[in-house]
Amino acid sequence: MTRVLVVNHDVDLADQEVDSLRRRGYEVRECLGPIGAQCPVLAGHQCSLAEWADVLVYDAWATGEPDGAQDLIEGLRDLHPDVPIVLSAPGIEPDWMEVVGPTGVTPLVGVPSGERLVRAIEASLGEGRSAIL
Protein backbone atom coordinates (compact mmCIF):
# COMPACT_ATOMS: atom_id res chain seq x y z
CA MET A 1 0.00 0.00 0.00
CA THR A 2 1.40 3.41 -0.99
CA ARG A 3 1.83 5.83 1.92
CA VAL A 4 0.93 9.44 1.15
CA LEU A 5 1.43 12.55 3.25
CA VAL A 6 -1.03 15.33 2.36
CA VAL A 7 -0.06 18.87 3.39
CA ASN A 8 -2.48 21.64 2.55
CA HIS A 9 -3.20 25.00 4.16
CA ASP A 10 -6.91 24.59 3.34
CA VAL A 11 -8.28 22.13 5.90
CA ASP A 12 -11.41 21.33 3.89
CA LEU A 13 -9.49 20.64 0.70
CA ALA A 14 -6.96 18.54 2.62
CA ASP A 15 -9.78 16.46 4.12
CA GLN A 16 -11.26 15.92 0.64
CA GLU A 17 -7.89 14.84 -0.75
CA VAL A 18 -7.30 12.46 2.17
CA ASP A 19 -10.77 10.90 1.88
CA SER A 20 -10.44 10.53 -1.88
CA LEU A 21 -7.05 8.84 -1.63
CA ARG A 22 -8.16 6.50 1.17
CA ARG A 23 -11.15 5.40 -0.92
CA ARG A 24 -8.65 4.50 -3.64
CA GLY A 25 -6.58 2.31 -1.31
CA TYR A 26 -3.79 4.65 -0.21
CA GLU A 27 -2.58 4.87 3.37
CA VAL A 28 -2.76 8.59 4.10
CA ARG A 29 -1.67 10.96 6.83
CA GLU A 30 -2.53 14.63 6.92
CA CYS A 31 -0.56 17.64 8.13
CA LEU A 32 -1.53 21.29 8.11
CA GLY A 33 2.07 22.20 7.49
CA PRO A 34 3.68 25.41 8.70
CA ILE A 35 0.32 27.19 8.97
CA GLY A 36 -0.98 24.62 11.46
CA ALA A 37 2.16 24.06 13.55
CA GLN A 38 5.92 24.44 13.67
CA CYS A 39 7.50 22.82 10.64
CA PRO A 40 10.72 20.89 11.26
CA VAL A 41 11.73 21.21 7.59
CA LEU A 42 11.70 25.01 7.72
CA ALA A 43 13.93 24.75 10.79
CA GLY A 44 16.35 22.51 8.87
CA HIS A 45 15.33 19.27 10.63
CA GLN A 46 14.11 15.93 9.34
CA CYS A 47 10.33 15.42 9.27
CA SER A 48 9.14 12.05 10.59
CA LEU A 49 5.97 12.26 8.48
CA ALA A 50 7.99 12.86 5.30
CA GLU A 51 10.26 9.93 6.23
CA TRP A 52 7.18 7.71 6.67
CA ALA A 53 5.68 8.62 3.28
CA ASP A 54 6.30 7.06 -0.12
CA VAL A 55 5.10 10.30 -1.74
CA LEU A 56 4.35 13.82 -0.52
CA VAL A 57 1.35 15.81 -1.77
CA TYR A 58 1.93 19.47 -0.93
CA ASP A 59 -0.14 22.54 -1.62
CA ALA A 60 1.93 25.22 -3.38
CA TRP A 61 0.68 27.70 -0.77
CA ALA A 62 1.26 25.45 2.26
CA THR A 63 3.08 28.21 4.14
CA GLY A 64 0.59 30.91 3.21
CA GLU A 65 3.15 32.79 1.13
CA PRO A 66 4.85 32.02 -2.20
CA ASP A 67 8.44 32.46 -1.00
CA GLY A 68 7.83 30.32 2.07
CA ALA A 69 6.46 27.48 -0.05
CA GLN A 70 9.54 27.57 -2.24
CA ASP A 71 11.75 27.39 0.86
CA LEU A 72 9.66 24.48 2.15
CA ILE A 73 9.94 22.47 -1.07
CA GLU A 74 13.67 23.16 -1.32
CA GLY A 75 14.06 22.08 2.32
CA LEU A 76 12.14 18.88 1.64
CA ARG A 77 14.37 18.15 -1.32
CA ASP A 78 17.50 18.75 0.79
CA LEU A 79 16.34 16.65 3.75
CA HIS A 80 14.28 13.98 1.94
CA PRO A 81 15.70 13.84 -1.61
CA ASP A 82 14.33 10.39 -2.41
CA VAL A 83 10.69 11.07 -1.53
CA PRO A 84 8.71 12.19 -4.60
CA ILE A 85 6.67 15.39 -4.27
CA VAL A 86 3.39 16.20 -5.97
CA LEU A 87 2.91 19.96 -5.80
CA SER A 88 -0.70 21.01 -6.25
CA ALA A 89 -1.49 24.51 -7.43
CA PRO A 90 -5.27 24.85 -7.68
CA GLY A 91 -5.10 28.46 -8.84
CA ILE A 92 -1.87 29.67 -10.35
CA GLU A 93 1.24 27.60 -10.95
CA PRO A 94 4.11 29.22 -9.02
CA ASP A 95 6.88 30.48 -11.30
CA TRP A 96 9.52 28.83 -9.09
CA MET A 97 8.14 25.32 -9.63
CA GLU A 98 10.74 23.01 -11.18
CA VAL A 99 9.88 19.68 -12.74
CA VAL A 100 13.41 18.39 -13.32
CA GLY A 101 16.63 18.30 -11.36
CA PRO A 102 17.25 17.92 -7.64
CA THR A 103 14.33 20.19 -6.68
CA GLY A 104 11.96 18.73 -9.26
CA VAL A 105 8.34 18.02 -8.39
CA THR A 106 5.35 16.54 -10.17
CA PRO A 107 3.03 19.52 -10.68
CA LEU A 108 -0.73 19.17 -10.36
CA VAL A 109 -2.22 22.38 -11.71
CA GLY A 110 -5.96 22.93 -11.30
CA VAL A 111 -8.51 21.17 -9.14
CA PRO A 112 -6.90 18.20 -7.35
CA SER A 113 -9.72 15.71 -7.92
CA GLY A 114 -9.26 12.12 -6.80
CA GLU A 115 -8.45 10.85 -10.29
CA ARG A 116 -5.98 13.66 -10.95
CA LEU A 117 -4.29 13.09 -7.58
CA VAL A 118 -3.85 9.40 -8.33
CA ARG A 119 -2.38 10.14 -11.77
CA ALA A 120 0.03 12.67 -10.24
CA ILE A 121 1.06 10.26 -7.47
CA GLU A 122 1.63 7.45 -9.97
CA ALA A 123 3.63 9.81 -12.21
CA SER A 124 5.76 10.95 -9.26
CA LEU A 125 6.58 7.37 -8.34
CA GLY A 126 7.45 6.52 -11.95
CA GLU A 127 9.27 8.32 -14.70
CA GLY A 128 6.57 10.86 -15.51
CA ARG A 129 7.68 13.69 -13.22
CA SER A 130 8.02 16.20 -16.03
CA ALA A 131 4.39 16.16 -17.13
CA ILE A 132 2.08 18.89 -15.86
CA LEU A 133 -1.13 17.15 -14.89
Side-chain angles (χ1 to χ4, degrees), residues 33 35 42 64 79:
I35 287 180
L42 289 176
L79 295 166

Side-chain angles (χ1 to χ4, degrees), residues 44 56-57 69 82 88-89 97 102 128:
L56 309 172
V57 176
D82 297 328
S88 67
M97 187 185 301

